[in-house]
Amino acid sequence: MRLKHYFALLAIGIVLLAGAALFGTFQSHPTLFYVTEGFIVVLLFYLWYFYRKTIRPYDTLIGGIELVRELDLTTRLAPSGQHETDIIVRTFNDLLGRLRSEHLKLEEQYTFLNLLIEASPMGVIQCDLDGNITSMNTAAREMLSPSVKEAIHALPLGETTTVRLPGEPQLFRISHQSFPDRGFQHPFFLIESLTSEVRLAEKAAYERVIRMIAHEVNNSVAGIIGSLHGDEAERLTALSAFVTRFAEVVKIPQPQLQLCDLSEEVDTCRPFLENLCTQAHVQIDFHLTDEAIPVHLDTVLFQQVLINIVKNAVDSIGERLKVGNSTSGMKDGQVTVTTSIPSKLVITDNGHGIPSSVATHLFTPFFSTKPQGQGLGLLLIRDILTSHHCTFSLLTDPEDHLTRFTIQFPK
């Protein structure tokens, strides 16, 4: 019950007592009756005055507090006419105005921060106090692979780590930080893609090394090869050719993109790919869509990519057949080339497979599992596909044990 209700009960009680006293003195004391009547009038006037000066201003302030509790920051209190109360009213209205201004400022900053986080190319993941994910931006949703999730759960607060996705050229840096909120430290994760920066740094480094080695070796070989005969000359010629192949990797031209049909371009390479597989006693099948798949690509560079992928698949099958390991679900020595909508190319083989320990090192410079491998094939494929803005992966499925090189062309 509010104070004004108590005041109303008090006023009614006083009026009733005054009325009873007035009724008792009406017959016996007429003079006292008029005096009592005048006292009652003065008492009522005083009660009305007391209400205006005390109870109503108090009730107005209580109403203002209710507005603040309901977060109604637009309404203002009207002056009551009471000097002391109006000081409080003016202070309250000024405070309410400042609160509204700060509230709008915080809302605008919060909206801007949300837009900034959502548009950021860096992944942002917020967690509750128990470490459960509460929100993430678009970039984080695209980066959140099983390998990244595993790294997030294992990363201590305040630490930073890098994660390379198995079978893909993707490299991420993950930071585990926290921010204070209402007295508690709320954890969050930042995920930054380092793929393009690392690729450019790697390319600049191996370009310098390869050019220097090729220059020195070829100059030395050219000076002495003419004075040698037989096996020595052949070995030096092979050495020169070996170094030249390294040098060719850094001479990949910028792609001259043109609109092509993906299935048609694959079909153009069919005779060469069939011959490559036939020589190794490997069966190759093509599952190409009848419907056109428009893509922008450099046909010459694309043929290099396709040939290198199929050659790696044939080599992998050869390794498996050497150790007599059989793969269920496909005949021994089989490669399948498939195109599908939208703009996807998949080369599948039933070769030796890629162990998980090896998958994270694929597409790095000069890495190879072949005894005589130079690590150039996947490096060439990576650089060409990256220049075409493709996404790609090379993984062995643990269920059917088939290895798939998947290429997704941009729309």
Side-chain angles (χ1 to χ4, degrees), residues 164-223:
R164 187 182 293 273
L165 298 188
E168 299 183 28
Q170 301 292 328
L171 181 66
F172 299 111
R173 178 167 58 201
I174 305 174
S175 300
H176 188 185
Q177 305 294 334
S178 65
F179 65 94
D181 181 24
R182 288 167 288 187
F184 296 95
Q185 292 293 327
H186 288 254
F188 69 96
F189 295 89
L190 297 178
I191 309 175
E192 182 182 4
S193 176
L194 302 178
T195 306
S196 58
E197 291 83 354
V198 171
R199 182 178 61 83
L200 292 175
E202 289 176 346
K203 187 174 182 180
Y206 69 67
E207 279 182 355
R208 288 193 297 268
V209 173
I210 288 175
R211 284 171 178 162
M212 181 182 66
I213 293 175
H215 179 267
E216 295 298 326
V217 171
N218 286 332
N219 283 350
S220 300
V221 168

Side-chain angles (χ1 to χ4, degrees), residues 118-156:
E118 188 62 28
S120 172
M122 180 180 291
V124 181
I125 299 177
Q126 298 185 42
C127 303
D128 58 20
L129 296 177
D130 296 325
N132 301 313
I133 296 176
T134 57
S135 65
M136 65 180 74
N137 63 350
T138 302
R141 283 190 288 270
E142 295 175 352
M143 299 176 183
L144 199 62
S145 64
S147 299
V148 173
K149 284 184 179 179
E150 183 179 352
I152 284 176
H153 291 306
L155 187 62

Side-chain angles (χ1 to χ4, degrees), residues 15-151:
V15 170
L16 290 177
L17 289 175
L22 186 65
F23 179 78
T25 58
F26 177 72
Q27 298 292 340
S28 57
H29 303 284
T31 303
L32 184 59
F33 171 77
Y34 291 110
V35 173
T36 305
E37 189 177 42
F39 175 77
I40 292 174
V41 171
V42 173
L43 181 62
L44 290 175
F45 178 78
Y46 176 77
L47 290 174
W48 172 79
Y49 180 81
F50 183 79
Y51 177 80
R52 281 181 56 86
K53 294 296 184 180
T54 306
I55 304 301
R56 193 168 70 177
Y58 173 81
D59 194 54
T60 299
L61 295 177
I62 293 298
I65 294 174
E66 292 290 338
L67 293 177
V68 174
R69 188 171 65 180
E70 296 173 3
L71 296 180
D72 183 0
L73 304 180
T74 59
T75 306
R76 296 293 183 269
L77 299 180
S80 64
Q82 176 69 22
H83 176 70
E84 294 80 0
T85 305
D86 286 347
I87 294 176
I88 300 176
V89 168
R90 285 193 296 271
T91 304
F92 182 85
N93 287 341
D94 181 62
L95 179 60
L96 214 59
R98 294 183 182 181
L99 285 175
R100 184 173 183 273
S101 177
E102 290 297 324
H103 183 72
L104 290 175
K105 183 178 179 181
L106 288 175
E107 280 190 345
E108 291 169 355
Q109 290 178 344
Y110 180 77
T111 302
F112 173 73
L113 181 60
N114 279 342
L115 292 174
L116 188 64
I117 291 175
E118 188 62 28
S120 172
M122 180 180 291
V124 181
I125 299 177
Q126 298 185 42
C127 303
D128 58 20
L129 296 177
D130 296 325
N132 301 313
I133 296 176
T134 57
S135 65
M136 65 180 74
N137 63 350
T138 302
R141 283 190 288 270
E142 295 175 352
M143 299 176 183
L144 199 62
S145 64
S147 299
V148 173
K149 284 184 179 179
E150 183 179 352

Side-chain angles (χ1 to χ4, degrees), residues 266 273 284-288 306 310 335-339 345-348:
V266 173
L273 298 178
I284 184 169
D285 295 328
F286 292 84
H287 300 289
L288 310 179
L306 192 55
V310 173
V335 176
T336 305
V337 182
T338 306
T339 59
L345 173 64
V346 181
I347 297 94
T348 307

Side-chain angles (χ1 to χ4, degrees), residues 263-306:
S263 295
E264 184 178 324
E265 291 302 320
V266 173
D267 194 55
T268 301
C269 296
R270 184 197 292 254
F272 187 87
L273 298 178
E274 288 178 341
N275 182 60
L276 179 65
C277 292
T278 301
Q279 292 179 359
H281 306 288
V282 173
Q283 178 182 344
I284 184 169
D285 295 328
F286 292 84
H287 300 289
L288 310 179
T289 60
D290 295 329
E291 185 177 351
I293 304 177
V295 293
H296 289 86
L297 51 81
D298 185 314
T299 56
V300 176
L301 293 179
F302 173 71
Q303 290 175 8
Q304 286 185 271
V305 167
L306 192 55

